[in-house]
Amino acid sequence: MEPGAKSEAKQGEAGSGAVGGSGGSSSKVYHERQRLQFCLLHALNNLMQEKECFTRAELDRIAGNLILSDPNKDQWTPLSFIFRPHHNVLTGNYDVNVLITALEARKKKVVWHDRRKGASSIDMDGEALVGLMINVPIRRFRGLWTGRHWVAIRSIDGVWFNLDSDLSEPKQFKDKENVIAFLDSSLSQGGELMVVLQDE
């Protein structure tokens, strides 16, 4: 991985950081920690449970290709070379178009969830389900800075985990109902939910 986007990876026991108890699982859970604004990079690797399944260089390349096909690129200003349409050159901060393109390159399909239906409408036991990606609003520095943050949620050996790169370790959900409640809470606070499926 390129300098400035080195992942702070953590291999931990699946039962660590349990939410609501239950623990007991001995499976290893891959978890990358947050650096700068590379939360999408970390969320993708956490979703796929593989170190450097995606790299900064690959996401930058995807963002660059998306820019080439941007019909509004003639309207750029000098700042556009840093604050590009699909990412920030210095800190990352990739958008949903990079997410979709990156996962499609791994033969995954991304379906934007209709918030009006609630999280209970998602087939959490579907064979094609890889996991969930949430984009949530965040506030830092006592509310002086606002932005958005990518979070991966997935089931590993039948146990659901919150793999948020802002967490010190993966958080285990008690059960599927607990996952659904978490997702509904995120949606009610302005979150966007994407369902990641194995493409046929």
Side-chain angles (χ1 to χ4, degrees):
M1 192 170 292
E2 290 188 353
K6 182 179 179 182
S7 297
E8 185 179 339
K10 176 171 181 174
Q11 288 282 129
E13 291 295 325
S16 66
V19 172
S22 87
S25 173
S26 60
S27 300
K28 297 290 185 180
V29 178
Y30 180 75
H31 181 235
E32 285 186 8
R33 297 285 307 282
Q34 179 81 10
R35 284 180 60 87
L36 299 177
Q37 290 181 304
F38 291 102
C39 56
L40 178 59
L41 173 62
H42 305 311
L44 285 170
N45 288 336
N46 289 340
L47 176 74
M48 302 300 288
Q49 285 294 284
E50 182 181 341
K51 182 179 181 180
E52 296 188 347
C53 178
F54 296 92
T55 64
R56 176 184 177 182
E58 180 179 4
L59 298 191
D60 283 350
R61 184 168 59 251
I62 290 171
N65 289 338
L66 290 169
I67 290 170
L68 291 176
S69 60
D70 185 350
N72 297 315
K73 61 185 177 185
D74 292 336
Q75 301 174 16
W76 283 16
T77 69
L79 284 177
S80 298
F81 287 99
I82 296 177
F83 302 102
R84 296 192 176 185
H86 304 290
H87 78 303
N88 181 303
V89 172
L90 301 178
T91 63
N93 202 21
Y94 304 96
D95 73 3
V96 68
N97 299 288
V98 176
L99 164 87
I100 293 171
T101 305
L103 285 170
E104 286 179 346
R106 299 295 192 277
K107 297 184 178 180
K108 303 295 184 285
K109 179 169 63 174
V110 179
V111 179
W112 207 303
H113 180 69
D114 186 346
R115 65 171 58 243
R116 296 172 298 180
K117 296 180 180 180
S120 60
S121 64
I122 300 171
D123 183 3
M124 305 287 281
D125 297 311
E127 290 186 8
L129 181 64
V130 175
L132 308 167
M133 294 287 283
I134 314 173
N135 187 252
V136 295
I138 56 172
R139 300 179 68 181
R140 301 192 193 278
F141 308 115
R142 298 182 179 180
L144 295 176
W145 183 87
T146 59
R148 300 191 70 87
H149 179 65
W150 290 103
V151 178
I153 307 286
R154 72 163 291 168
S155 174
I156 301 170
D157 294 332
V159 179
W160 283 90
F161 288 91
N162 179 346
L163 301 170
D164 187 348
S165 59
D166 266 348
L167 297 175
S168 61
E169 59 187 9
K171 295 286 186 179
Q172 179 179 325
F173 289 102
K174 181 179 179 181
D175 49 34
K176 283 186 292 186
E177 287 69 28
N178 195 224
V179 180
I180 290 170
F182 173 82
L183 295 174
D184 280 335
S185 175
S186 297
L187 290 170
S188 70
Q189 296 175 52
E192 298 291 346
L193 174 59
M194 274 131 280
V195 181
V196 182
L197 304 169
Q198 186 66 46
D199 206 358
E200 298 178 359

